[in-house]
Amino acid sequence: MGLHSVMQGDRLQITLLGRRNAGKSSLINALTGQETAIVSEVKGTTTDPVSKAMEILPLGPCMLIDTPGLDDEGELGQKRVERAKDVLHRTDVALLVMDAATLKEEIGEDMNLPELEQEILKELHDKQTKSILVLNQSDRLSIEDGEAMRRAFQQKNMGIPVALTSAVNGNGMEELKDILVSLAPKEDSELHIVSDLISEGDFIVLVVPVDSAAPKGRLIMPQQQTIRDILDHQSVAVVTQVPELSDTLKRLQGNVRMVITDSQAFHEVDAIVPKEIPLTSFSILFARHKGNLAELVSGVLAVDRLQDGDRILIAEGCTHRRQCEDIGTVKIPNWLKKHSGKRLEITTCSGMDFPADLSSYAMVIHCGGCTLHEKEMKHRIYTAKEQGVPIVNYGIFIAYVNGILQRSIELFPDIHLATGEK
């Protein structure tokens, strides 16, 4: 699969952690065979997490994330450390990188990892993130010392694999790649977009409005990925716009398995599609694919409990140029205020700037998360749930305020709306 054909959120996310000057950036360059990261003898060269999409054989499409040193100092340094740890919410495999020669001098004969590295391993274990201990710059060790450290660390740290590498001469890179392949998450057959709901040969009608908010010359990610999922399972994707929808359904003569619409067109599409044809949206499909559909459906009921002065967070996983009728900053706030009839304080965030503390918000309304890694999206839902803050996504919210959420989730019999819609 080509380098640019895989969505950022679907790439294997590999994060490099370690102290300043542990050799994280030079290790990235050695792994990729390119001068991807800036390497310097000066401590603290990497001041923020830096992500780089790469194709690494035999792993395939990856996202390598270089992070600031975990031993950074001062108030600013602590903020850098916090940003480095935030990356773990979307990490598939973490490489805990250590300068092998410096480490040998520090630990002496007892072969116990220093406290900082032990704390990081515990945090990775608690997050159920697969880890590799990387003894980098191992060319500065004798072979005997290197192997002794490898054996000791594997025995004392829950069997976590240990790789001996050298960014100087390239030693150990193939071994490290082999370990990464063995730890990489296998494709989850349960993570469907729509393929488990259709059969070979089914006609699936996709309603894709092309307006001022649509990207020039292409479809947005959820639309692309849904079409690919349909084609991969030998079904037929029929793409149309709202004005052509009625005629399209007539031409297909009752052979339509379902209609999937852009959420913003829900109201118009619901009026056109006969009740016997299942109807849902791209955003609702992605709520199930990458998030927790049941939790997000239950969260929408908070809309009817809002009070004057409540704060609402509208969150998006990507950053994009805002249009005059932008969905996150214009349309959803307007729909929300109209439906609730309350004076609300609306706050927005985008990209990786999702707040850790949500306690001041009455609810969170999140985008479909198509650009986010599945772990990141589920972490955001979990964070909201743990803090008792209802969370819902765009598609579910839009369906609810249009009074058609019950219809849009009929495809999922295990999901129930706890109360009637207005």
Side-chain angles (χ1 to χ4, degrees):
M1 190 171 289
L3 175 62
H4 299 290
S5 62
V6 180
M7 308 303 176
Q8 173 176 322
D10 291 332
R11 292 175 176 271
L12 177 68
Q13 309 279 311
I14 303 171
T15 297
L16 288 86
L17 301 163
R19 304 186 189 210
R20 292 171 292 173
N21 276 22
K24 300 184 295 295
S25 298
S26 59
L27 185 63
I28 285 181
N29 292 341
L31 267 173
T32 62
Q34 300 180 27
E35 293 298 314
T36 299
I38 297 173
V39 177
S40 171
E41 294 297 322
V42 179
K43 285 188 175 184
T45 301
T46 303
T47 57
D48 286 291
V50 178
S51 300
K52 179 66 175 178
M54 297 296 298
E55 187 97 14
I56 302 178
L57 297 176
L59 285 166
C62 301
M63 184 67 70
L64 289 172
I65 307 172
D66 194 6
T67 60
L70 296 173
D71 60 338
D72 213 337
E73 300 169 338
E75 184 178 348
L76 181 57
Q78 283 305 113
K79 290 182 178 179
R80 291 171 177 167
V81 171
E82 289 171 9
R83 290 182 71 89
K85 291 183 177 181
D86 283 344
V87 175
L88 299 181
H89 301 314
R90 62 182 189 272
T91 297
D92 290 312
V93 182
L95 308 185
L96 181 51
V97 184
M98 296 167 284
D99 179 332
T102 302
L103 179 64
K104 183 177 184 301
E105 293 177 4
E106 184 176 347
I107 63 176
E109 297 299 322
D110 63 6
M111 292 288 189
N112 288 321
L113 282 176
E115 185 176 346
L116 175 61
E117 280 74 14
Q118 289 187 35
E119 290 175 356
I120 295 301
L121 278 185
K122 183 180 183 305
E123 189 164 346
L124 291 168
H125 180 265
D126 291 344
K127 292 182 182 296
Q128 299 183 325
T129 301
K130 295 179 180 178
S131 311
I132 304 172
L133 290 175
V134 181
L135 301 180
N136 196 31
Q137 305 176 37
S138 61
D139 54 285
R140 296 164 56 195
L141 288 179
S142 69
I143 295 175
E144 293 76 13
D145 285 345
E147 290 300 328
M149 291 174 70
R150 186 209 298 266
R151 289 192 300 271
F153 290 153
Q154 284 180 332
Q155 291 171 0
K156 295 184 177 186
N157 296 285
M158 300 169 287
I160 291 174
V162 179
L164 292 164
T165 64
S166 171
V168 173
N169 57 30
N171 287 347
M173 294 304 157
E174 291 307 312
E175 177 195 16
L176 178 55
K177 290 179 184 179
D178 288 343
I179 298 173
L180 281 168
V181 169
S182 70
L183 295 183
K186 304 300 183 286
E187 185 174 344
D188 190 343
S189 60
E190 298 301 315
L191 290 178
H192 305 280
I193 298 177
V194 69
S195 57
D196 61 318
L197 304 173
I198 60 180
S199 300
E200 183 176 335
D202 280 350
F203 286 91
I204 316 301
V205 175
L206 311 178
V207 184
V208 179
V210 178
D211 52 26
S212 60
K216 296 291 185 182
R218 60 183 177 85
L219 302 178
I220 62 174
M221 287 184 186
Q223 296 162 0
Q224 294 178 44
Q225 291 174 286
T226 303
I227 291 172
R228 178 57 186 265
D229 194 36
I230 292 169
L231 297 179
D232 282 346
H233 291 80
Q234 292 74 51
S235 298
V236 182
V238 180
V239 183
T240 187
Q241 297 188 69
V242 175
E244 292 76 37
L245 177 59
S246 180
D247 187 52
T248 299
L249 295 175
K250 288 177 183 177
R251 291 187 181 190
L252 293 174
Q253 300 178 344
N255 293 318
V256 178
R257 172 66 185 90
M258 73 176 68
V259 175
I260 304 169
T261 182
D262 182 285
S263 297
Q264 297 181 68
F266 242 145
H267 183 70
E268 299 164 277
V269 172
D270 175 59
I272 296 170
V273 178
K275 298 303 180 185
E276 63 269 19
I277 298 178
L279 170 65
T280 192
S281 75
F282 295 103
S283 187
I284 288 174
L285 290 174
F286 270 77
R288 183 182 70 133
H289 176 55
K290 283 193 173 182
N292 183 326
L293 182 57
E295 186 69 28
L296 294 172
V297 167
S298 67
V300 76
L301 300 177
V303 170
D304 295 323
R305 300 193 295 268
L306 295 176
Q307 302 297 320
D308 285 338
D310 278 348
R311 296 185 74 210
I312 311 298
L313 176 64
I314 298 179
E316 295 185 337
C318 64
T319 55
H320 59 272
R321 185 170 65 88
R322 302 290 184 183
Q323 303 286 338
C324 58
E325 287 296 309
D326 181 68
I327 184 170
T329 58
V330 179
K331 290 183 178 179
I332 285 181
N334 288 342
W335 288 326
L336 182 61
K337 291 174 181 177
K338 180 180 179 181
H339 181 88
S340 68
K342 305 298 182 182
R343 291 178 285 103
L344 305 171
E345 180 183 339
I346 307 293
T347 301
T348 62
C349 71
S350 60
M352 291 298 125
D353 293 331
F354 190 76
D357 183 2
L358 300 171
S359 58
S360 65
Y361 296 104
M363 72 178 301
V364 176
I365 303 176
H366 204 291
C367 72
C370 61
T371 64
L372 293 177
H373 191 278
E374 177 205 346
K375 286 186 67 174
E376 173 70 22
M377 190 65 222
K378 288 184 175 177
H379 166 72
R380 294 184 179 194
I381 296 171
Y382 177 80
T383 298
K385 183 177 181 180
E386 282 293 289
Q387 297 180 30
V389 179
I391 183 170
V392 65
N393 85 347
Y394 282 9
I396 294 168
F397 167 80
I398 295 170
Y400 186 72
V401 297
N402 278 286
I404 55 175
L405 179 55
Q406 194 67 58
R407 181 185 185 188
S408 69
I409 61 174
E410 285 175 356
L411 282 161
F412 318 107
D414 56 327
I415 306 296
H416 305 283
L417 191 60
T419 187
E421 292 168 298
K422 291 186 176 181

